[in-house]
Amino acid sequence: MHRCLTIDEILTIIFQHAFIILKPEPKSREFRDRRTLARLARTCRYFLEPALNVLYYEIHDLLWLIKCMPDDLWVVNGKQLTFTRPMLQSDWNIFLRYARRVRSLEFDRHCQSTTDVNVYVALSHLPSPVVIFPRLVHFRCGEYRPEAIPFLMHLLQPTVVHVDIDNLMSNPLTFCVLPLLPKMCPRIKQIMAFRNFVFQKGDRALETFSRVLCQLPELQTLRCAELPDDSVLHLSQLPNLKILRMDLRLISLDHLESAFGRIRFPVLQEVLLSAPTMSHSLRFLDFIQSTSVDTINLNVDDETCAADYKAIFTQWASNPSYHNLSAIDISEMQVWRDYDDKHIIDIATLRPLFQLKYLTSLKLETLCTFDLDNAAIKEIAQAWPLLETLDLSIRECGWELPSKVTLSGLVPLLQNCPNLALLGVVVDATVLPAASSTTLPGYGVQNTSLESLWLADSKITRPALVASFLSAVAPNLEQLVSWNTPLLSGREGKDKYLKRWKEVEKLVQHFAQVRRQERAWARRLNRWRCERGKDGCGCECCGCSEECDEAIVLAEEVRDERAQQVHYDSEPEPITDSEGEDDFEYCYLPDAL
């Protein structure tokens, strides 16, 4: 073995890549391979410590550590683990051996049903004064039983910089552990705390959390629900706060405007706001002085008309602080709409945002509907080539208006936005591109990044032909969502269209696999030709005419198979009973379009 593999730092880097690996094509996705790390730890003594450090870096359940101890110490009754005897020094040695490697530890709310309180009682009585998790930097806690509090105290140490509280309620976790954070963990940079229902003014848990926030000077990221005015004033002065998510319901904007100091959120980059009205959100955005805002996420209760959206987008586009804006996400929380001409968003409404050249994500889940066509989609593609997410589908209720966007209209978007991974738009899939034996579907455009397609109330008549087209232009498409919300379930033809889109979702993956095999075969054939050409082959006078003849026959067979596949794809499918009930005619667009 090479001497470099005896260095722990090098092995740790290697094992981190072995732990978080990429699933191979057709789709690359990270997943964690704990079995490989366990095998590496057992390979040799040089690998043992670095492999275990990576394996226990992040623990999502305390039971992972407990089950490392002898079997006679613990037993699982139903779903709950409990201790059957007191812990011995040998048990502590095993537990501490693995606990010292943990950097991130999570106790979600399910631990109350999986872990008996006697486990926490035993772990809170250390045989000697020692730090259980000396390298801990992050913990997430939803355990609030009083018996667990002494053990949770052991998690509070200066190394902790990231704390998540699952449910901020009036309980021992909030009143006994949370107030100690500023003193025991003074370097906290990230904190998240939510609850299952809205806070009211004067809530004791909210006041406790607010006092804690006002004692954290190094905070960089805060994700929480409602906050009182005093906390917001403190946050506005923090020099390093970059990410802020909060609810504006308890805030008096008039009071804040008069109480704000000279500095107001100087380096804020991501703003995620929930508010009763759009005007509340916009007014709070005006308070922010940062010139590096790159993400705006607004969740509002009321509805906004298309003209107001155009005015908002125009203002953002002209604001120098938003020139680097990369993500816009707006959601109107009402689920019922009765739209009119004032609630129809067309390309003219979106056009002011075209000045934001760095936009990578645009999501508009509004009570307005959309009136877009193929030309509008092409404008979007040309304006935002860096797009990774575009969701205009209005998943809850769809467009309701007949869509003017066809499958061919998506081609410029797939071509000009190579990083597009999620696309939400309503299409008219009853109009299909013309099938041709000489032209590739989508004119050869292929977007390998697109994984999810959200289509809401899109209509379709020929699933196989639609799947054939999508498998060519988006070969890695894995998720196709349509007609799946309560509001869409009552629409006419819902079952028919949902069934057809589900059929498309299945066929796309099969067709894409066939296309990948054909392309791989063609590449091998071309490489073989190139290699033979370098050797002087390819002419009738060379000495390997028999092999050349075999290659020619092979190429002809491949061409015949491709021609046959194009021919089958070009044949219209027989009309089924459900398709015969459609009011839509199946038509082809000419190649010129």
Side-chain angles (χ1 to χ4, degrees), residues 520-530 551 554-555 558:
W521 178 250
R523 285 194 297 270
R524 288 196 297 269
L525 179 61
N526 289 335
R527 281 198 302 270
W528 186 89
R529 285 177 170 173
C530 292
L554 184 61
V558 171

Side-chain angles (χ1 to χ4, degrees), residues 337 339 365-370 392-401 426 455-458 485 487-488 491:
R337 71 177 179 196
Y339 68 85
E365 185 74 17
T366 75
L367 296 182
C368 294
T369 187
F370 286 88
L392 308 177
S393 63
I394 315 181
R395 297 186 302 278
E396 288 295 331
C397 47
W399 286 8
E400 296 192 52
L401 295 177
V426 177
L455 298 169
D457 57 345
S458 298
T485 64
L487 289 180
L488 292 176
R491 299 271 293 277

